[in-house]
Structures are given as C-alpha cells and as structure tokens.
C-alpha cells in the first residue's frame, strides 16, 4: 500500500517540527541458541563484529538523529569489541527478554524523545537488512500516526504438527495473508511507550504485537506491513554466520 493511500486512510501529517529518527538496537541477548561463550552480537562476521555491521548498515541507509544500543547490564564485551562511537549511546538496560530490553531502553530514552519521534527498533542479529528496504520502511510510514514493520509474505507451505504425535502432520495451514515479521519495526515513541505500559506487553515477541494489543483497545490504529526482504536474515545459529557473510559480500559487490 502506498503512502498516499495511507494518508487517505486517516494518517496524520503536517507536524510543526519534523520528528526525529532514533535507532534502538536490542543487543542484550545471551544467544543461547547460538551456543557460544561470546554472545552472537559480537561474533566475527567477515572481520567485523556482527553488532557493528548492523549499526553501520542502519547509519549508511538512514539519516539517524541518534542510535541507542540496549546492552545487558553485565556486558563485558561491548567496550572492547565495539567501543565508543559518535552518535551511539550504549544503554546498560537489558532485561530478561527482548521485550524487556526494548521497554527499558524506551524508558531510558524518555528525556530525549518526544511522543511523535520515530523509534526504529532493529535486532542486532539482522546485519544484512538491505538499504532499499530500510529506506522503503521510513518512506512509506513517514506520515503515519502509528508505524509498522518490515515483513515478507510466507512463501512456504505451512504444516501444523500434531502435538500428541510429534513430527506427524496434523494439517496444512492456509498461508494466504500470512507474513513473517522482520525488523526494523518503526513506531512513534509515544505509541511504543503506551503499548509497553500495558499489562502483558512484555510477553510480546515483537513491538508490533504490543502495538496491536494497544490498537485493540481503540487507542491507536493497527500497524502497517511494509515489504521487507528475504536477505534480511536473523543470525540465530552459528551456521547462519556463513550465510550472512555471503549476503554481505554480495551486497558490497553490488554497491
Ligand atoms: O534471541 P533473538 O535472536 O530472538 O534476539 C533478537 C534480538 O533481541 C537480538 O539482537 C538480541 O541481542 C536481543 N535481545 C535483547 N535482550 C534479551 C534477549 C534478546 O536485547 N533479553
């Protein structure tokens, strides 16, 4: 859906001051599925730490007013592996879950963000997000009052497992209208704070889910899906590093 259609659908526009664009990178995970003593955000990806690759990708694609990185309070790697960087605030506010890390970082940003400012939450573990997808997200949502996220339509056939007989198919699910959520997820700061202030919000597995719950109360409209990219993989297992490195190399060659 185009930005024009969204405007016609009731989105807001014409704020006096242009909203700021703040990147928030949750990077407080221990990476248990990654299975390494070094959390995955610090893993070597073609000679540079994964988190740094992610930060550089966002900075190369977008005109960011600020970047905040949510780190575990006991993180002992950031200072030596990434180190101080212009325009980047390292917030040692990570929580037990991704949602908690994001909610804590939003609270920490309180003095620096107005309700209309945009917060672009992006997983440290997605270093390959294409520049054009990032710009599309920001362009398509620019005049919206709430926000949305990058996502891709489900391409594979979906099988429901029979819980009583693991690995046996119960049925095939209808995939029409289903999308896989990615990051960045870009929302107005005030919307995100209100969404995460609600009971149960910390159980959300992404920001959009928390905003959807807020929208269900009538407090705001529902988030938008903006077409992302299959290249925007999330590094989850050690084997994903080689795939991410290959994608980055192909992107760098094409640039
Ligand atoms: O573990 P997973 O890949 O789903 O984590 C997604 C992102 O959320 C990662 O960048 C990870 O560092 C971050 N995270 C966090 N705080 C947690 C758990 C995950 O910031 N407690």
């Amino acid at each position: 859906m185009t930005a024009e259609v969204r405007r016609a659908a009731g989105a807001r526009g014409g704020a006096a001051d242009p909203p700021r664009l703040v990147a928030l990178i949750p990077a407080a995970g221990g990476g248990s599925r990654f299975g390494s003593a070094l959390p995955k955000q610090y893993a070597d990806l073609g000679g540079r730490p994964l988190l740094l690759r992610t930060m550089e990708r966002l900075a190369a694609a977008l005109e960011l007013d600020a970047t905040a990185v949510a780190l575990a309070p006991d993180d002992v790697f950031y200072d030596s592996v990434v180190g101080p960087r212009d325009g980047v605030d390292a917030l040692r506010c990570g929580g037990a879950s991704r949602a908690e890390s994001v909610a804590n970082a939003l609270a920490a940003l309180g003095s620096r963000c107005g309700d209309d400012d945009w917060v672009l939450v992006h997983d440290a573990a997605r270093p390959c997000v294409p520049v054009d997808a990032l710009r599309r997200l920001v362009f398509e949502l620019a005049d919206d009052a709430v926000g949305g996220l990058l996502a891709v339509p489900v391409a594979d056939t979906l099988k429901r497992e029979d819980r009583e007989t693991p690995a046996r198919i119960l049925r095939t699910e209808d995939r029409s209208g289903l999308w896989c959520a990615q990051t960045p997820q870009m929302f107005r700061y005030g919307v995100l704070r209100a969404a995460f202030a609600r009971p149960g919000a910390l159980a959300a597995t992404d920001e959009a889910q928390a905003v959807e719950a807020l929208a269900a109360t009538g407090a705001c409209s529902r988030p938008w899906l903006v077409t992302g990219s299959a290249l925007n993989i999330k590094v989850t297992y050690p084997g994903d590093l080689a795939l991410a490195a290959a994608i980055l190399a192909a992107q760098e060659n094409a640039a």
Side-chain angles (χ1 to χ4, degrees), residues 18-235:
R20 298 168 77 240
L21 180 60
V22 176
L24 167 53
I25 305 177
S32 55
R33 289 172 293 183
F34 197 66
S36 149
L38 187 68
K40 68 179 172 186
Q41 55 270 35
Y42 300 116
D44 181 88
L45 183 52
R48 295 173 78 67
L50 191 155
L51 173 57
L52 196 50
R53 293 265 187 198
T54 301
M55 290 161 64
E56 287 172 346
R57 178 58 57 94
L58 295 183
L62 303 172
E63 285 185 30
L64 297 170
D65 292 291
T67 297
V69 184
L71 303 176
D74 58 355
D75 183 297
V76 292
F77 300 105
Y78 184 85
D79 290 341
S80 56
V81 178
V82 176
R85 300 190 67 80
D86 277 351
V88 177
D89 284 321
L91 308 173
R92 294 181 174 274
C93 64
S97 66
R98 182 184 180 286
E100 229 176 273
S101 299
V102 169
N104 292 348
L106 290 171
L109 286 171
S111 59
R112 283 172 273 173
C113 286
D115 280 355
D116 287 344
D117 288 338
W118 287 111
V119 182
L120 188 121
V121 184
H122 185 56
D123 289 336
R126 291 185 188 268
C128 306
V129 57
V131 165
D132 62 344
L134 287 167
R135 292 180 179 159
R136 183 162 57 242
L137 180 74
V138 171
F139 177 79
E140 294 236 343
L141 298 175
D143 294 328
D144 195 62
V146 175
L149 69 153
L150 288 182
V152 288
V154 171
D156 297 322
T157 298
L158 295 176
K159 303 297 183 189
R160 170 80 53 194
E161 181 185 35
D162 183 350
R163 284 199 180 152
E164 288 176 12
T165 320
R168 177 155 286 172
I169 292 170
L170 183 65
R171 63 175 176 272
T172 298
E173 298 287 353
D174 180 4
R175 72 176 178 213
S176 58
L178 292 183
W179 293 60
C180 292
Q182 303 183 334
T183 70
Q185 306 209 349
M186 184 175 119
F187 291 99
R188 300 278 181 187
Y189 177 76
V191 167
L192 273 185
R193 282 304 298 272
F196 277 103
R198 298 192 66 250
L202 294 181
T205 53
D206 69 356
E207 291 66 52
Q209 188 180 0
V211 175
E212 291 159 42
L214 180 68
T217 68
C220 66
S221 51
R222 285 174 279 126
W224 295 101
L225 294 162
V226 176
T227 302
S229 166
L231 301 180
N232 186 13
I233 63 164
K234 184 165 76 162
V235 174

